[in-house]
């Protein structure tokens, strides 16, 4: 069974500082994709960053980067130079071709940015 | 390009009633997925439709059903509502191909069952 675990229900960070959100997953598949989604309060969920499991290089998108440890089945998100607009719920998600377009989501981490 | 549109945004029903939620995907997207989001369970996959066919289904009772029309618009229906059905129902569209493509979400329909 595919499971995604986010062990930090809440996190906070000072504006301009760096924060890392943790995510682990469990799978027996070799081909899969990992995602971080952001859900601001009362707004729609948007993709932050994604990682293909076959790629060893960690994905980066501007201030957002991941630390993908395939053997440890770990996929953490680092947010650098945190901004007030980064405050949101962050969901880690997993998808594998064998289950089609079904995404498996973690329970989320609520990030607060302190001015 | 318009995003994913869900209607209604908010609705209140009583136990035993039924509800129908609507989703219009991004133009050109043929896959529509539905998720139930609750504080305790997070996001749970309901089902996915592609070209008017249900392609995948999550572990929900038969009271939850859906369909997709030829223009890719989708509806989901919940019959005999229970208090536990109170949730944010999210619709997401994608191109439908099994690649690294992301899901594009709507703002959701918040259902309250009294």
């Amino acid at each position: 069974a595919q499971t995604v675990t986010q062990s930090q229900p809440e996190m906070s960070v000072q504006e301009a500082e760096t924060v890392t959100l943790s995510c682990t997953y469990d799978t027996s598949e070799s081909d899969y994709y990992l995602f971080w989604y952001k859900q601001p309060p009362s707004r729609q969920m948007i993709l932050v960053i994604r990682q293909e499991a076959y790629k060893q290089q960690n994905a980066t998108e501007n201030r957002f980067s991941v630390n993908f440890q395939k053997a440890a089945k770990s996929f953490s998100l680092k947010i650098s130079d945190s901004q007030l607009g980064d405050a949101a719920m962050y969901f880690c998600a997993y998808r594998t071709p064998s289950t089609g377009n079904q995404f498996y989501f973690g329970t989320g981490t609520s990030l607060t940015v302190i001015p | 390009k318009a995003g994913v549109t869900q209607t209604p945004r908010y609705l209140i029903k009583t136990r035993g009633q039924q509800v129908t939620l609507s989703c219009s995907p991004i133009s050109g997207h043929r896959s529509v997925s539905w998720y139930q989001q609750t504080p305790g369970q997070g996001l749970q996959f309901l089902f996915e439709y592609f070209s008017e066919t249900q392609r995948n289904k999550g572990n929900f009772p038969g009271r939850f059903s859906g369909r997709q029309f030829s223009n890719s618009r989708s509806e989901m229906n919940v019959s005999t509502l229970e208090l536990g059905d109170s949730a944010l129902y999210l619709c997401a569209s994608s191109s439908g191909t099994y690649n690294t493509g992301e899901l594009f979400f709507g703002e959701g329909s918040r259902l309250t069952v009294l």
Side-chain angles (χ1 to χ4, degrees), chain B residues 32-101:
Chain B
V32 173
S33 301
W34 289 89
Y35 288 82
Q36 181 195 65
Q37 184 178 11
T38 59
Q41 298 293 320
L43 283 93
Q44 302 288 315
F45 173 75
L46 282 157
F47 29 65
E48 181 208 5
Y49 285 86
F50 180 82
S51 293
E52 302 180 65
T53 301
Q54 187 180 87
R55 191 160 66 171
N56 204 353
K57 188 178 189 303
N59 189 26
F60 277 82
R63 299 186 297 107
F64 292 81
S65 63
R67 59 177 176 170
Q68 187 179 34
F69 302 95
S70 59
N71 62 357
S72 293
R73 189 177 71 84
S74 177
E75 289 182 347
M76 69 162 282
N77 183 78
V78 188
S79 62
T80 318
L81 284 166
E82 301 176 359
L83 295 179
D85 296 334
S86 294
L88 181 66
Y89 290 88
L90 294 172
C91 169
S93 76
S94 71
S95 63
T97 57
Y98 290 164
N99 54 17
T100 59

